[in-house]
């Protein structure tokens, strides 16, 4: 069994010293998930940045549209975070993707090689644009975006693809910079049917 | 003279239709700068994301420390945005860097080849880490961060280096995705001594 | 739940039509593991290549030395197969690595970012050389190999590092070319303590 | 204000010691431009190479054809020199491009992201081939050249595209090797309307 | 004249100490070629791996089909080994390719720039897929393989393309790792017409 | 035997129509070498560029110094032209390097993998800087140049390293753009001892 690594390379203040709104939010997350994902702890020494981070996350990820489901949004995170070699985001959002997609395999398949994952043509087009925006943003064109519209994404969905990739470009780099480690809980989530 | 391009590939609502807090903020910016930078207009159709974007910007960029001046912070933006080929951020933050650094040449030098720009050893180390975090985040190590501490950056300054790069990793990608064009005003700012 | 994909893009003959030695080997593997890993099926239409493949595998992987344990060998496979985006090898050898290392997390950590995985200095040096040999073989030097010796690897161990990487350079490419999919069993193996 | 850097890492002989033909040429350039661009000084310690350099420059750049104007030729230099991170050539030829194109913005746009610059389809095709020839010459094909002919370039124009890129592949590398710095005059040229 | 380098960085046992089957094979090769190619010597300290290596080689390379001649197979080796900067394989298989193709120039042309080599469209398609599989295996698609079928390759030929590239991905890495040097004989083979 | 390809994609005027000075030069070269290298023919439709090209070539390549022999200069061309995949320059200058170095193997070794070629430490340092300048010029530093001085190169020799690389950055791109093919004579030159 490997050594437990610290949550972050930067200070992690005790929960009791955080501003009340963050304490409340963290308690609510913990209540819902059964544990506090490490990203919350790692950002908490910078409350303003933390609040903006969570606000952006919620605006982009807690949204279900015909063109881009919650599961689809998580898979965008998994594919682009894998392209950025970001352990925390691949493991944490891989877990959420397994649950949202009700598929125990798809997140790992998308993380390692989204091109061969069993995805509909729409999501294949989405991930092609997303991964390109993540690793070589200058190469994304208006024609790429028009292609997504042809797959049924609305103008809002297209923006969301770009904004999710952009937000996790930030998130992946912060996680690398802080050497943020995933909570052990994430690795198993969504792999075993409930009630098992 | 080249054709004027639209501000963004996505909708730009009329100012009068924005939420009051954004209208106020935009008016204040316009009052101070003499014009409204296009990034404000381009984000305004998504008020929650816009608010989080500006909050993050202010938390990281409006800060002067002995280890990382406002000018230094702008140069981080210029160097990493150039590495990402982001026209809007190179031109807009190049302008601000010229003003903050009171140097009409340094921003262009950093944008094209920061390695040969006339910078102190401290900023050379900062930009080396910053550009690596921008283009190959997996390669930034704890030793890199310790190196910045040896150049006099505090733990807060080191985080700020990482957070600024991360925030502009987001910003550069949104700007590419929206094909955001710089306002014409930025190109000349800080190039000619005031009163000329 | 995503669609089941075919095992390979190339013919997979019925087991009963295989040469007797392959039938025997496949039966033994199936007996031991509870299922036949898809790589056996995918190679079986080319018996000579299959025999050479399994012989090379066994010569390199079924070996425990003080300098390079079976778990270490599997982690070399995981790290370099991830660098080659090879779904089959990351998932199958990730499973074996979890079991050999008795660690439910380490294989995923090594797959996404071996640099930040909680590994001893010896294995960090091994993976540095291994991944370089996988992606840019011209850059591996005699000094790299001397470095591994200083970490306690024997001359045989050093060769094994190179030979394992080389063998999976072959294996990863065959798996991509055949679009080989991992058996569902692999995804969960070694994640839950036995008897659970 | 940043420190003045030396013109070159190599010797720069006094003007009075140069061969008469170079002295004359330098005087004429200085007369016309108001200053002597540093590339002249930096090459002057090698008169034969300097003469060949200027001869090639003039053969390719002082030419106006319907398919490739002087401004277009300068934009090729700006785009490919930016791809090579060459400060001297981006700043010096950016200045000339602003003047030749009578556009204060276009050179900066082409330097940072020519793909989104407001250019006609012809120049978009030219820069696509030019930048590819600069960074990955093996990938330029006869079909690329035929594509330029369809945009109205003559056979001579097509050669000039290739020859300009090739000449600045040389020029960019010499400038990097000598750490050639742009004259301060270049930064502002062509940004402010004359008579201002 | 340059210094003779050792055959391998790893032990090369005397021929007399090898297992009898390897001694026989080596003697037969030497009889046929007039010398023993260094790869045989370099692998001989690992008899099991050596046997599997030669078995795979023979299964893939000693085969003449309408869709993929022996010469074609050698050119696949030359092109992909050049992409991997592998001196031994480029020189040794370049020699064999010259003989098989009865062409003293083609192997050098394919090694340096297969795109401009005078090859039929079929082999151009084969090398495009082969080199991509060698350097970026994730990018090879089912459509690429269908394209090879349209050029007349059978399903077996297509597999052979993939298997040859995969086998030399292994071989190139072992050769780099052992710093295997080509026998002097290879450099001149097939360059001068017999009887000259 | 493969089809003869045209010398260039661009016009090759008949010798008799060339300006007298080029006719003379071509005749002298042909007299000395026994054939006219294709680069002369390919450049001849542009006499001014051709003259500057040959003048630069002669200024840099026809020079023997203690720090950088004629053979060394040719090997710089071979190594950097190989990095640029330039068939004409690798084959033509490989031939000249074999003759100048009186070594039938070294040019091929340098072309495929200069790092493992049997070279003195001085030339290893030279080629390290040269290839970096060829493929990533921004990364060559003053410290690299100081390193070459420590190996005994004079200031003039160091410039020559940079200038040779720069000149062949031009030459390689022109050769690619014109699809210039090597004369058949080059392939065998220097491989067989004279008098054979």
């Amino acid at each position: 069994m490997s050594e437990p690594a610290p949550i972050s390379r930067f200070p992690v203040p005790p929960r009791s010293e955080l501003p009340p709104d963050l304490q409340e939010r963290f308690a609510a997350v913990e209540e819902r998930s059964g544990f506090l994902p490490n990203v919350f702890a790692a950002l908490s020494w910078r409350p303003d940045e933390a609040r903006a981070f969570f606000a952006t996350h919620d605006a982009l990820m807690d949204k279900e549209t015909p063109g881009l489901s919650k599961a689809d949004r998580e898979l965008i995170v998994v594919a682009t975070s894998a392209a950025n070699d970001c352990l925390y985001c691949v493991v944490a959002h891989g877990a959420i993707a397994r649950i949202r997609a009700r598929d125990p395999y798809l997140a790992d398949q998308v993380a390692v090689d989204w091109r061969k994952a069993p995805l509909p043509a729409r999501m294949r087009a989405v991930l092609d644009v997303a991964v390109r925006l993540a690793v070589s943003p200058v190469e994304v064109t208006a024609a790429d975006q028009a292609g997504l519209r042809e797959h049924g994404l609305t103008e809002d969905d297209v923006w969301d693809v770009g904004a999710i990739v952009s937000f996790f470009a930030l998130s992946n780099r912060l996680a690398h910079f802080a050497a943020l480690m995933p909570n052990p809980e994430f690795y198993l989530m969504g792999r075993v049917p409930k009630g098992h």
Side-chain angles (χ1 to χ4, degrees), chain A residues 81-145:
Chain A
S81 299
N84 284 329
D85 311 298
C86 181
L87 178 64
Y88 183 87
C89 297
V90 169
V91 171
H93 289 273
I96 305 173
R98 284 192 293 272
I99 289 168
R100 297 258 194 257
R102 293 165 202 273
D103 185 319
Y105 312 128
L106 191 56
D108 287 349
Q109 292 164 342
V110 165
V112 185
D113 182 5
W114 65 266
R115 289 167 166 100
K116 298 201 193 72
L119 292 162
R122 180 183 51 82
M123 273 305 288
R124 204 170 292 283
V126 164
L127 293 184
D128 174 44
V129 172
V131 173
R132 221 156 355 104
L133 184 62
V135 301
S136 185
V138 75
E139 292 179 34
V140 175
T141 63
D144 287 324
Q145 297 169 333

Side-chain angles (χ1 to χ4, degrees), chain A residues 24-92:
Chain A
E24 255 175 66
R25 171 150 195 163
F26 288 17
V29 169
E30 206 168 40
E31 165 102 21
R32 198 172 55 233
S33 315
F35 64 98
L36 186 72
N38 285 339
V39 67
F40 290 89
L43 290 174
S44 67
W45 80 310
R46 292 288 184 103
D48 288 342
E49 297 161 44
R51 286 183 195 106
F53 185 96
F54 302 132
T56 308
H57 176 278
D58 296 353
L60 297 169
M61 303 301 291
D62 288 351
K63 207 193 267 185
E64 181 90 24
T65 64
L68 210 62
S69 71
K70 285 186 184 177
D72 296 338
R73 291 164 197 260
E74 295 296 335
L75 291 174
I76 293 172
V77 179
V78 170
T80 60
S81 299
N84 284 329
D85 311 298
C86 181
L87 178 64
Y88 183 87
C89 297
V90 169
V91 171

